[in-house]
C-alpha cells in the first residue's frame, strides 16, 4: 500500500460551503489549510472557469456564535461579505471586485453574519451580535451600502436565517430563546418589510414549542417554505394560507443541526424544488414538482448545500473513495466535477461498514481486512455532542488506515441524523448515555475479535473529549488516548462559556443553574484520579469555546497521578484547527504517541 503523505492528507481537507447562484456564476466559500485556514470566496462559470474573488490576506470568517457561517451573500449584481481581521462588512459589484468597507466599529464588539439581499439591491438584512460589558445582544438589522444600520427585530435571545420575498415586501426569519438550541425549539416569524429596512406587523407563523424550524425561504410565487421536525425528522413544509403542508414526508433528515449559519439543503426554482435528504447509509437528491421523485442516491455524504440554475444542480459530495468534490449534475448527463481532487480513485481506499452493537448502537467500522481480524483500532467520539459520524470520505481517517489502524466511529445517543427522538435523548444524560454507547462499541470490538487488549485507542475533540475522558475513567481497555481541546471541568466552563452554548451545557447534564451540583458530579475533572491511560492533548491557545485553561487543568491533574500526559499548544488556533502546519503536527504527534504506548504485532 502506497504511503500517504501528510501534505496530501492536509491538502485534501479543503472545505467548501455555502453554494449560491447568481447567474451566470456559481459562488462558494473555500477554506484552505495551506493558507493557514484562510477562507476564500470563489466563483465558477462554464465560460470563465474558477476564479478567486478575495485576494490574500483577506479572510472571510464570521464569529457570531463563535462558529460563524453565512459569511457572504450575492444578489442584484453585488456581493456582501465579512472579513475576519476586523469583523467588518465589505461589498463589491460582481464585475469590478473592488472591495469597499461599509462598517467601521473600533473593535470586534459588533459582529455580523447571515446576509440576505433586498431585491432593490440597496440593503441587506443580517444577524448582528453585540458584545457588551455584561451582556451579549443578538438582533436583526438592515444595513445599506453606505453603512446605515436599522434595527429590524429584537427581544429574542437568538436570530438566524433572514429571508426576503421576491417582491421585497415580506421578511421571514428564525428566532429562539435560552435554554433551547436551534435544533431544539425555534419560532418561524414573518413581517411586512418596508423599503427603508424597517418592519411592521411581526407575527409568529409557527410556534416551535415542540419542533425545530430552520431554513425559511420564499418560492418565486411568494409562498414561504421551511424545514420542521414536528413529525420526528426535518422535512420540508409549505406555509400557505392553510396549516403547514408537508411536501415530502420522509423518515430521513432533510437538514443538519445548524451549528453554523448559511446551510441551504433545498432550493426553490420556478417550477420545481430540489431537496437533499440524509439516510443512514447515504444521501439523496430529490425533485419536487407535481410529484416527488429521487433523482440520485449518493454513497458517502452530501454537504447541506444545494444550488441550481436552469437544468444544472450543484452539490458538494464526499463519497467513500474520494475527497469532497463540487459537482454539477444535469439530467441525462454524467456529473461534472467543478472543483476538488479527481485522481484519488487510484488509491486502495478503505470504505466503512455500518455496524450495530447488540444493544443497537450504530457505528461506522473501517476494517483493514474483509474477515474479522485483530488490528490496532481507534475509537472516535465525535464532537458536539450534537454532531454525527458519517460515511463520507475523511482524509484523516485514511491516514490512520494507511498507517495500520482500523477506525470505529460512533453515533451515540444525542447524535444528529437519526431523528429528533435520538437527538433529544441525550438531554440531561451527557456523560452517561454517550459514554455507555461508546463503551458498548469498544466492548463489541474486543468481543468480536476486531481488536485486542493493548491495541485499542481513543480519539475525541471538544465534547468528544468530554465523552472520551469519562470512558477512560470507566474502562482500562484503551492503550492510549489523543484529545483535542477537550471539555474537562464543567463548572469552570459554564462560568465562561459563550452565549450560544452557555445554557446548552447546563441542559445537557440536567443542571438548572451554575451552582447546580450536577455540573460538578458530571465533570471529568472530579474523577480524573481514576484515569491511568497515557494521554496526548492538543489545544489552540486562542480557543474561545473551550479555553486553554481546560487543557491545563487536565494536564495538572494527571501529572499529580503520575499518568503520562503531553500537552501541545498551538498559537493562533481556535476551536477547530485550520492551519496545515498545526494539522500535520497533530497527526504526527498522535501517531508517535500511539505507537509508543500501544501493543503492535
Amino acid at each position: 500500500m502506497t504511503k500517504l503523505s501528510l501534505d496530501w492528507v492536509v491538502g485534501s481537507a479543503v472545505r467548501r460551503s455555502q453554494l449560491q447562484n447568481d447567474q451566470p456564476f456559481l459562488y462558494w466559500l473555500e477554506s484552505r489549510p495551506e493558507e493557514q485556514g484562510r477562507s476564500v470566496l470563489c466563483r465558477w462559470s462554464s465560460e470563465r472557469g474558477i476564479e478567486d474573488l478575495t485576494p490574500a490576506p483577506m479572510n472571510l470568517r464570521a464569529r457570531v456564535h463563535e462558529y460563524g457561517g453565512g459569511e457572504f451573500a450575492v444578489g442584484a449584481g453585488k456581493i456582501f461579505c465579512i472579513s475576519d481581521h476586523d469583523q467588518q462588512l465589505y461589498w463589491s459589484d460582481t464585475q469590478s471586485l473592488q472591495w469597499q468597507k461599509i462598517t467601521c466599529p473600533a473593535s470586534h464588539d459588533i459582529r455580523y453574519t447571515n446576509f440576505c439581499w433586498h431585491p432593490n439591491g440597496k440593503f441587506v438584512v443580517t444577524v448582528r451580535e453585540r458584545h457588551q460589558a455584561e451582556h451579549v445582544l443578538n438582533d436583526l438589522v438592515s444595513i445599506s451600502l453606505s453603512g446605515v444600520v436599522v434595527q429590524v427585530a429584537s427581544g429574542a435571545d437568538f436570530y438566524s436565517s433572514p429571508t426576503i420575498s421576491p417582491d421585497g415586501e415580506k421578511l421571514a426569519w428564525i428566532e429562539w430563546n435560552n435554554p433551547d438550541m436551534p435544533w431544539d425549539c425555534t419560532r418561524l416569524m414573518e413581517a411586512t418589510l418596508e423599503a427603508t429596512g424597517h418592519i411592521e406587523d411581526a407575527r409568529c407563523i409557527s410556534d416551535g414549542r415542540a419542533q425545530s424550524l430552520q431554513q425559511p425561504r420564499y418560492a418565486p410565487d411568494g409562498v414561504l417554505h421551511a424545514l420542521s421536525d414536528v413529525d420526528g425528522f426535518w422535512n420540508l413544509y409549505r406555509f400557505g394560507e392553510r396549516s403547514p403542508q408537508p411536501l415530502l414526508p420522509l423518515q430521513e433528515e432533510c437538514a443538519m443541526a445548524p451549528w453554523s449559519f448559511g446551510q441551504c439543503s433545498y432550493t426553490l426554482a420556478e417550477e420545481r424544488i430540489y431537496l437533499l435528504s440524509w439516510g443512514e447509509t447515504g444521501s439523496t437528491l430529490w425533485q419536487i414538482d407535481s410529484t416527488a421523485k429521487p433523482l440520485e442516491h449518493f454513497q458517502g455524504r452530501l454537504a447541506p448545500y444545494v444550488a441550481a440554475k436552469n437544468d444544472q444542480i450543484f452539490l458538494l459530495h464526499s463519497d467513500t473513495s474520494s475527497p469532497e468534490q463540487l459537482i454539477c449534475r444535469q439530467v441525462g448527463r454524467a456529473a461534472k466535477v467543478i472543483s476538488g481532487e479527481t485522481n484519488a480513485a487510484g488509491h486502495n481506499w478503505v470504505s466503512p461498514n455500518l455496524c450495530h452493537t447488540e444493544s443497537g448502537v450504530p457505528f461506522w467500522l473501517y476494517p483493514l481486512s474483509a474477515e474479522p481480524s485483530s488490528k490496532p483500532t481507534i475509537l472516535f467520539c465525535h464532537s458536539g455532542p450534537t454532531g454525527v459520524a458519517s460515511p463520507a470520505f475523511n482524509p484523516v481517517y485514511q491516514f490512520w488506515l494507511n498507517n495500520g489502524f482500523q477506525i470505529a466511529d460512533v453515533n451515540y445517543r444525542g447524535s444528529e441524523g437519526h431523528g429528533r427522538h435520538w437527538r433529544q435523548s441525550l438531554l440531561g444524560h451527557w456523560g452517561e448515555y454517550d459514554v455507555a454507547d461508546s463503551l458498548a462499541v469498544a466492548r463489541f470490538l474486543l468481543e468480536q475479535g476486531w481488536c485486542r487488549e493493548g491495541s485499542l485507542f481513543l480519539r475525541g475533540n471538544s465534547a468528544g473529549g468530554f465523552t472520551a475522558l469519562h470512558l477512560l475513567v470507566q474502562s482500562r481497555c484503551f492503550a492510549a488516548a489523543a484529545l483535542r481541546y477537550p471539555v474537562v471541568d464543567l463548572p469552570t466552563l459554564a462560568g465562561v462559556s459563550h452565549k450560544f452554548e452557555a445554557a446548552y451545557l447546563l441542559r445537557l447534564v440536567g443542571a438548572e443553574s451554575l451552582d447546580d451540583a450536577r455540573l460538578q458530579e458530571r465533570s471529568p475533572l472530579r474523577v480524573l484520579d481514576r484515569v491511568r491511560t497515557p494521554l496526548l492533548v492538543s489545544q489552540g491557545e486562542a480557543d474561545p469555546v473551550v479555553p486553554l485553561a481546560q487543557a491545563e487543568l487536565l494536564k495538572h491533574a494527571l501529572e499529580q497521578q503520575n499518568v503520562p500526559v503531553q500537552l501541545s499548544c498551538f498559537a493562533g488556533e481556535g476551536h477547530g484547527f485550520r492551519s496545515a502546519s498545526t494539522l500535520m503536527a497533530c497527526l504526527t504527534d498522535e501517531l508517535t504517541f500511539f505507537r509508543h504506548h500501544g501493543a503492535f504485532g
Side-chain angles (χ1 to χ4, degrees), residues 244-369:
Q245 300 296 311
L247 298 185
L248 180 63
L250 294 171
Q251 294 296 298
E252 293 185 359
E253 301 282 28
C254 295
M256 296 183 182
W259 279 97
S260 58
F261 294 93
Q263 293 188 26
C264 179
S265 55
Y266 71 98
T267 182
L268 300 162
E270 286 293 336
E271 298 179 352
R272 62 185 63 89
I273 299 171
Y274 296 112
L275 172 70
L276 308 180
S277 72
W278 290 269
E280 199 167 39
T281 61
S283 309
T284 303
L285 169 65
W286 297 84
Q287 177 177 303
I288 304 173
D289 38 39
S290 58
T291 60
K293 59 182 177 182
L295 292 182
E296 187 171 354
H297 181 76
F298 295 85
Q299 298 298 320
R301 192 89 165 162
L302 290 170
Y305 307 99
V306 58
K309 65 175 183 178
N310 301 326
D311 64 340
Q312 296 178 315
I313 309 165
F314 301 95
L315 306 161
L316 288 167
H317 178 225
S318 300
D319 67 15
T320 59
S321 60
S322 66
E324 179 188 86
Q325 295 176 332
L326 170 55
I327 61 174
C328 174
R329 186 194 185 281
Q330 289 180 277
V331 177
R333 300 184 185 180
K336 176 182 180 180
V337 178
I338 293 174
S339 179
E341 187 168 346
T342 59
N343 61 354
H347 195 88
N348 186 26
W349 305 116
V350 178
S351 296
N353 300 320
L354 180 60
C355 303
H356 294 82
T357 66
E358 292 181 356
S359 58
V361 180
F363 68 98
W364 292 98
L365 178 65
Y366 295 74
L368 287 174
S369 60

Side-chain angles (χ1 to χ4, degrees), residues 372-375 406 443-452:
S373 177
S374 181
K375 301 286 185 182
Q406 298 180 137
R443 289 171 175 163
F444 182 84
L445 294 170
L446 293 166
E447 292 168 359
Q448 298 297 315
W450 284 92
C451 64
R452 57 186 174 84

